[in-house]
Amino acid sequence: MKTVLVTGGAGFIGSNLVRLILAEEPDTRVLTYDLLTYAGNLDNLRDCLEDPRHDFVRGDICDREAVTEVLGSGNISEVIHLAAESHVDRSILGPQGFAETNVLGTVVLLEAAREAGVKRFIQVSTDEVYGSLGSAGSFSEESPLAPSSPYSASKAAADHFVEAFGRTFGMEVLITRCSNNYGPCQFPEKLIPLMIRNAMNDEPLPVYGDGLQVRDWIHVSDHSSALLAVLRGGRPGEVYNIGGGNERTNLEVIRSVLRLLGKPESLICHIDDRPGHDRRYAMDASKIHAELGWQAGVGFEQGLEDTIQWYMDNAGWLDSVATGEYRDFYSAWYSGGRTTG
Ligand code: NAD
Ligand code: TYD
């Protein structure tokens, strides 16, 4: 039985992917490696922890010794690398941790994977490495990398290292770049769960700038199925863009959240814009569709309704992740002139 190592598997996308692999591939074992930072939560994997085909190891991708031990511990043939610091706003307040985890951690993992003779390495990256679009067009795999934030710069740097390991050492590496995800278990720092949480608590909904920035939303289950398709059928050395084909302005998304929760638009409050804020992202996902037959299946309206229902049914999960650290981050973030008043 082959084993896939999933780094960051206790996070939002990772936990969804681990569950999908266990369900879809009865002959695959999954080893989740995760540090359980503020964004990682074993509760996200609750139903997988009892599965005899799943193991969990707590550890840091920057810890060379621990990573080497994990990669040598079982018959690991493939790595899907999701572990990362993932939030743009946090990268603005503290870029260094993003360089450490996202760049150095990726290099540590690549070196250990090469030594262990891992057959396939999938780097889970983001559309944000391409920078910002004007009102027309979309990113293709050939678009130049032009990251704006410390987060996207760290992901772009990691992508370069992954490609370099492919070219220099002949490793079988692949990169996926996906648009904005939403769905169950997303930490309430990202737009959709933050707006759901605040609206549920009748707190102000902080819109950065004019709120007319555009994102292409994809349900996390569609991202996971794309990752599995790339793991199984992607061509070595290739980049695959993944997108949901659901372009919405932030204000459109926020108004939908309020409508579905039956809350008033008077909760919306415009605050100072995010520095270096990318105006628009849109993905051309025709390559993964043509080569691997993948396409997104969840419509945005239905996906958003289901997601809101999940957060309403799991208010305890929201309370458990919104800890003192969460409140400290927001008091630092809003004190930089970004008042919600
Ligand atoms: P997340 O923040 O929910 O989860 C990240 C996980 O990584 C957490 O479980 C955390 O504990 C773990 N982690 C962090 N630092 C670690 C370290 N040093 N060692 C081991 N584990 C560590 O993030 P997510 O939204 O699930 O994103 C997962 C990946 O997908 C990231 O690489 C991100 O860049 C990429 N991505 C995310 C999106 C999105 O919309 N969320 C879109 C495209 C790509
Ligand atoms: P986010 O979920 O942080 O994802 P990303 O910056 O990686 O695209 O933000 C999505 C969009 O929502 C982005 O344009 C910033 C905006 N936004 C707000 O207006 N208010 C908020 O409180 C947050 C978290 C995001």
Side-chain angles (χ1 to χ4, degrees):
M1 206 181 250
K2 63 179 174 301
T3 302
V4 184
L5 179 76
V6 179
T7 71
F12 162 52
I13 300 167
S15 58
N16 196 283
L17 175 68
V18 167
R19 189 168 298 109
L20 180 73
I21 298 174
L22 291 171
E24 292 283 309
E25 301 199 331
D27 293 328
T28 303
R29 295 181 62 84
V30 178
L31 201 165
T32 297
Y33 185 75
D34 195 298
L35 184 58
L36 300 181
T37 65
Y38 78 92
N41 189 344
L42 269 188
D43 205 31
N44 297 346
L45 287 169
R46 204 175 356 179
D47 49 321
C48 306
L49 294 174
E50 303 293 307
D51 192 317
R53 287 184 294 118
H54 178 249
D55 287 306
F56 175 79
V57 174
R58 183 174 191 180
D60 189 340
I61 51 166
C62 299
D63 181 342
R64 178 62 197 261
E65 216 173 294
V67 169
T68 302
E69 192 181 324
V70 159
L71 278 163
S73 65
N75 199 13
I76 294 170
S77 48
E78 293 142 345
V79 172
I80 310 186
H81 176 37
L82 297 101
E85 289 293 338
S86 67
H87 188 37
V88 173
D89 295 341
R90 285 183 187 251
S91 81
I92 294 168
L93 283 194
Q96 186 176 323
F98 283 70
E100 285 162 4
T101 296
N102 299 357
V103 187
L104 185 63
T106 301
V107 176
V108 167
L109 201 62
L110 283 164
E111 285 199 301
R114 180 166 79 94
E115 275 172 23
V118 164
K119 293 203 177 61
R120 234 166 197 240
F121 188 103
I122 315 284
Q123 158 77 350
V124 180
S125 189
T126 165
D127 58 357
E128 302 190 29
V129 296
Y130 295 125
S132 188
L133 287 167
S135 55
S138 56
F139 296 125
S140 80
E141 287 81 359
E142 276 70 48
S143 298
L145 303 197
S148 304
S149 70
Y151 162 68
S152 50
S154 69
K155 293 296 290 189
D159 289 6
H160 283 312
F161 270 104
V162 170
E163 287 183 331
F165 269 66
R167 293 200 195 107
T168 308
F169 303 115
M171 273 177 79
E172 197 170 295
V173 295
L174 298 92
I175 297 175
T176 62
R177 298 194 176 124
C178 187
S179 61
N180 287 62
N181 285 221
Y182 69 101
C185 298
Q186 187 169 31
F187 194 82
E189 63 190 356
K190 307 289 183 344
L191 179 74
I192 288 181
L194 185 135
M195 296 300 159
I196 295 173
R197 176 179 182 274
N198 286 17
M200 279 168 64
N201 295 333
D202 297 310
E203 290 172 15
L205 271 49
V207 177
Y208 299 163
D210 62 10
L212 299 180
Q213 304 84 2
V214 173
R215 298 293 183 263
D216 168 8
W217 294 97
I218 182 171
H219 194 270
V220 64
S221 60
D222 280 328
H223 186 187
S224 295
S225 68
L227 291 175
L228 195 50
V230 170
L231 176 70
R232 294 297 159 232
R235 285 185 293 131
E238 294 293 317
V239 174
Y240 291 92
N241 282 355
I242 303 166
N246 294 301
E247 281 189 58
R248 299 283 186 286
T249 66
N250 294 338
L251 271 176
E252 283 171 332
V253 171
I254 292 164
R255 289 199 178 108
S256 297
V257 168
L258 288 171
R259 186 176 37 78
L260 288 163
L261 280 167
K263 300 286 182 171
E265 291 200 5
S266 55
L267 284 175
I268 293 176
C269 104
H270 288 264
I271 64 170
D272 286 355
D273 209 349
R274 171 191 276 172
H277 200 167
D278 287 333
R279 193 67 180 167
R280 177 171 164 261
Y281 304 140
M283 285 303 245
D284 173 357
S286 54
K287 177 174 171 180
I288 187 171
H289 180 56
E291 284 192 20
L292 305 176
W294 174 90
Q295 62 184 26
V298 181
F300 184 68
E301 277 64 32
Q302 188 60 53
L304 186 62
E305 203 175 321
D306 294 348
T307 300
I308 290 176
Q309 190 60 51
W310 186 88
Y311 281 97
M312 284 168 58
D313 294 343
N314 292 275
W317 182 93
L318 262 182
D319 290 342
S320 75
V321 301
T323 57
E325 191 274 345
Y326 182 79
R327 284 188 291 277
D328 288 350
F329 171 75
Y330 280 103
S331 68
W333 178 243
Y334 293 133
S335 72
R338 298 174 198 89
T339 49
T340 48

